[in-house]
């Protein structure tokens, strides 16, 4: 019987930088809340299937170290030896570290990002020596020769630096019959798999490893893979793999942006307008309360009451600790970031009310103050131009208080279906065409045409009744032709037939006369 070995590879649970869709590399990001749950779940799956380990290997980055810890916790395996080594670190992502993958795809193209993420031998641009991400300035690596510390790596480089550790430390443990667990990273594990499965350079591009799902490799006695499988339901695995593959797509931008995504200009303008509309509506209702009594009071103290209403609204919105958005912003799901926290911001906010009050009470009515009004309007205009250019600070208060507007929730991706729009377009075109054609159709001629082709019975019925041969209603002021036609018409209908022909018998009607009633 062939002697086999089983090793388990686990990519750490989701890190905080995975969550933000940032290139992470050697940056020491922590696990996100979800990542902690994924790590625990990995341990549970392994426990369920009866896995146990004698030794574990990981990198020196805390997202992998902590994932391993959570797995140990679930398996109650704190006593096994743990070896951490920089050679199991994630691929050094060079100058891409800290950049958002979707934004990078939007800037450089998805194809370029796929090359940087997945091409075997093309490294991303390297880190500057002075970069905060340069491992040469990191205390974790101070004991190492600076020349081995990379400033960027392609997968080939990662394979080359990870394999010595595989051969020197991990292989002996496997050969000695120990159950080995390796908890590492997306690309350091891809490097290992590339080597074990002898994946061709061009095929490794399509390999994506999900976070927190244990991958079992069954090796023969020469440590060649016989089989491999994930210890999780297939649909969970596939979904997680697709998610990793899609991280480099620009279209993810809208759904992966965190909630600090700045609001677009249009919602900001709309929110401003809604606030004004809300104030007008508020004032309308309030003043209508006193329409029949105390109206003189309302009229005399209009500005003071308006100030009171504005303050009341603010007290329940921006000035309350629960909200950082005006009414208009709340309706459009945007808000200030940071919220109105400092005393200075609150004072500035309240002074805008004082200013509005003074402006409306005095400036508008006094001609001598017109130059001030002009200066104020000029400021508003310049501020608005700046807002249009930069997309921030729609009013002077926001500018002075340095308040930016962000989306309350990440905007969701809307799927546009053009079927309805196409139908609408066809219907409108048809409507317009009919609307243009119909007025050209003479109803009289149409009716004449139809009668010409109607069967005799209907014709007879029409002739036998006392209804007008033109409008089909009871005859009003009956008239008849002065020619050969023997039909009767209302006066108005008959008048329209002069010099035309009768719609029933098609005889010409030279003129008309009132119907003569026989005395019998
Ligand atoms: O740090 C990273 O990997 P990790 O989350 O496995 O440590 C990379 O950002 C993974 O990104 P990639 O899947 O685009 O290679």
């Amino acid at each position: 019987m062939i002697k086999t070995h089983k090793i388990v590879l686990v990519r750490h649970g989701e890190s905080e930088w995975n969550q933000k869709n940032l290139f992470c590399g050697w940056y020491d990001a922590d696990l996100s809340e979800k990542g902690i749950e994924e790590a625990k779940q990995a341990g549970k799956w392994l426990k369920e299937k009866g896995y146990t380990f004698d030794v574990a290997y990981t990198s020196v980055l805390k997202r992998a170290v902590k994932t391993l810890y959570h797995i140990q916790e679930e398996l109650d395996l704190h006593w096994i030896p743990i070896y951490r080594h920089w050679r199991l670190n994630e691929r050094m992502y060079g100058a891409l570290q800290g950049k958002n993958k979707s934004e990078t795809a939007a800037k450089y193209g998805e194809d370029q990002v796929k090359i940087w993420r997945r091409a075997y031998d093309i490294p991303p641009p390297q880190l500057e020596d002075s970069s905060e991400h340069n491992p040469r300035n990191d205390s974790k690596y101070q004991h190492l020769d600076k020349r081995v510390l990379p400033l960027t790596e392609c997968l080939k480089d990662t394979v080359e630096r990870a394999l010595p550790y595989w051969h020197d430390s991990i292989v002996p443990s496997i050969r000695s019959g120990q159950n080995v667990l390796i908890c590492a990273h997306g690309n350091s594990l891809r490097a290992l798999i590339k080597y074990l499965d002898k994946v061709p350079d061009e095929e490794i591009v399509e390999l994506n490893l999900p976070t927190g799902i244990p991958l079992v490799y069954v090796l023969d006695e020469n440590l060649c893979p016989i089989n491999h499988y994930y210890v999780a339901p297939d649909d969970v695995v596939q979904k997680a793999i697709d998610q990793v593959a899609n991280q480099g797509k620009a279209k993810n931008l809208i759904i992966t942006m965190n909630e600090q995504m700045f609001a677009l200009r249009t919602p900001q303008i709309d929110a401003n307008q809604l606030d004004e509309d809300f104030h007008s509506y508020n004032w309308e209702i309030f003043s209508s309360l006193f329409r029949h009594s105390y109206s003189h009071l309302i009229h005399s103290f209009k500005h003071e009451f308006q100030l009171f209403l504005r303050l009341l609204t603010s007290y329940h919105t921006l000035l309350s600790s629960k909200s950082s958005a005006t009414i208009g912003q709340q309706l459009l799901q945007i808000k200030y970031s940071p919220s109105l926290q400092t005393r200075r911001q609150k004072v500035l906010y309240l002074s805008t009310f004082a200013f509005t009050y003074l402006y409306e009470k005095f400036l508008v009515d006094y001609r001598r103050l017109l130059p001030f009004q002009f200066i104020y309007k000029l400021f508003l205009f310049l501020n608005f131009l700046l807002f249009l250019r930069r997309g921030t600070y729609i009013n002077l208060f926001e500018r002075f208080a340095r308040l930016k507007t962000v989306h309350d929730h990440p905007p969701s991706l809307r799927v546009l279906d053009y079927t309805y729009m196409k139908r609408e377009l066809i219907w409108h075109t048809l409507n317009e065409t009919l609307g243009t054609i119909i007025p050209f159709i003479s109803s009289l001629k149409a009716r004449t045409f139809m009668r010409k082709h109607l069967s005799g019975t209907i014709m007879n019925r029409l002739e036998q009744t006392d209804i007008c041969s033109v409008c089909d209603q009871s005859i009003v002021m009956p008239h008849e032709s002065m020619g050969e036609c023997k039909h009767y018409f209302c006066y108005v209908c008959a008048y329209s037939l002069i010099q035309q022909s009768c719609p029933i018998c098609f005889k010409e009607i030279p003129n008309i006369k009132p119907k003569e009633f026989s005395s019998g």
Side-chain angles (χ1 to χ4, degrees), residues 11-15 17-18 21-27 29 61 63-64 89-91 93 97 99 101 113 116-118 184-190 207-209 211 244-245 247-248:
R11 180 180 175 190
H12 59 81
E14 182 198 69
S15 73
W17 276 31
N18 291 145
N21 204 24
L22 306 179
F23 288 103
C24 195
W26 281 35
Y27 177 79
L61 297 171
R63 53 192 188 271
N89 271 12
E90 176 56 309
R91 168 154 81 107
Y93 249 118
Q97 285 190 183
K99 295 206 172 357
K101 293 177 191 174
V113 167
W116 281 332
R117 290 181 77 205
R118 295 292 174 255
H185 302 262
N187 292 295
S188 53
L189 291 175
R190 285 174 73 238
L207 178 67
N208 288 292
L209 293 186
T211 51
V244 176
Q247 283 170 351

Side-chain angles (χ1 to χ4, degrees), residues 435-501:
T436 317
I437 291 173
I438 285 173
F440 286 106
I441 300 173
S442 154
S443 62
L444 183 65
K445 284 197 175 145
R447 230 172 311 149
T448 308
F449 174 82
M450 280 165 65
R451 284 203 172 126
K452 205 171 178 178
H453 295 87
L454 278 177
S455 65
T457 45
I458 298 174
M459 294 285 286
N460 293 341
R461 189 179 61 79
L462 286 171
E463 282 174 29
Q464 282 160 15
T465 57
D466 269 348
I467 59 171
C468 168
S469 299
V470 172
C471 68
D472 285 350
Q473 309 290 322
S474 300
I475 293 182
V476 180
M477 293 173 66
H479 273 64
E480 62 186 338
S481 166
M482 287 171 73
E484 291 173 22
C485 167
K486 297 291 172 227
H487 294 101
Y488 303 114
F489 317 99
C490 304
Y491 167 70
V492 178
C493 298
Y495 197 83
S496 71
L497 288 177
I498 297 173
Q499 303 294 324
Q500 309 264 353
S501 47

